[in-house]
Amino acid sequence: MWGKQILLGILGLSAGFGVAAGLFSFIIGLGVVSDFADRTHTGDHILFYEDCIALGGMLGNIFWVYHIEIPYGGWLLPLFGLFSGIFVGCWSMALAEVLNIFPIFVRRVKLLKCIPYLILGMALGKGIGSLVFFYMRW
């Protein structure tokens, strides 16, 4: 009985490490981290940023699996939601940039003057959609 549990635990941890490593590699490969470092002119700290992303993923999993309560979590939740939304938005924009979706779309539609409004509309739509989704859950 104990041997089976230990084997399943090792297998689960190994699978989790593999999936997490793939996700972090995907995030770094998309160039999200290097774009942030380039735009903030802090390229010399890029390894620190990558370590923070990996540490955040590990701590998030530990809090999720072991149901660790964070003191004043209700007050920190909107801040966490804001930062998570910014990160996911930047991640999706980096993926779209890699796939060259926006340049192709802009050329096809001949949309040159309204690009900032298009990006603002996508960001507002994502934010309002998230607010409606989480408001309806409560």
Side-chain angles (χ1 to χ4, degrees):
M1 179 79 175
W2 284 96
K4 184 178 179 182
Q5 294 297 322
I6 291 172
L7 181 63
L8 286 174
I10 292 171
L11 182 64
L13 281 173
S14 300
F17 287 146
V19 170
L23 177 65
F24 296 143
S25 297
F26 184 62
I27 290 171
I28 292 167
L30 277 178
V32 175
V33 179
S34 59
D35 273 351
F36 284 158
D38 182 43
R39 292 183 188 189
T40 58
H41 306 293
T42 56
D44 51 335
H45 300 295
I46 198 161
L47 293 176
F48 175 69
Y49 295 153
E50 292 173 358
D51 290 341
C52 287
I53 290 172
L55 183 64
M58 288 186 282
L59 288 176
N61 284 330
I62 289 170
F63 289 154
W64 179 267
V65 169
Y66 294 110
H67 303 286
I68 297 173
E69 300 228 2
I70 300 172
Y72 307 108
W75 292 92
L76 294 175
L77 188 61
L79 187 64
F80 174 77
L82 175 69
F83 288 143
S84 297
I86 290 170
F87 183 74
V88 169
C90 291
W91 193 21
S92 62
M93 293 302 284
L95 180 59
E97 186 179 312
V98 166
L99 297 176
N100 292 327
I101 290 174
F102 290 112
I104 293 170
F105 177 73
V106 167
R107 273 185 281 166
R108 301 260 175 156
V109 180
K110 298 180 180 156
L111 180 71
L112 298 175
K113 295 180 183 177
C114 299
I115 293 174
Y117 302 113
L118 179 69
I119 293 172
L120 180 65
M122 286 189 287
L124 289 175
K126 177 100 173 138
I128 292 170
S130 296
L131 286 174
V132 168
F133 174 75
F134 287 111
Y135 180 74
M136 294 303 220
R137 278 182 90 177
W138 290 98

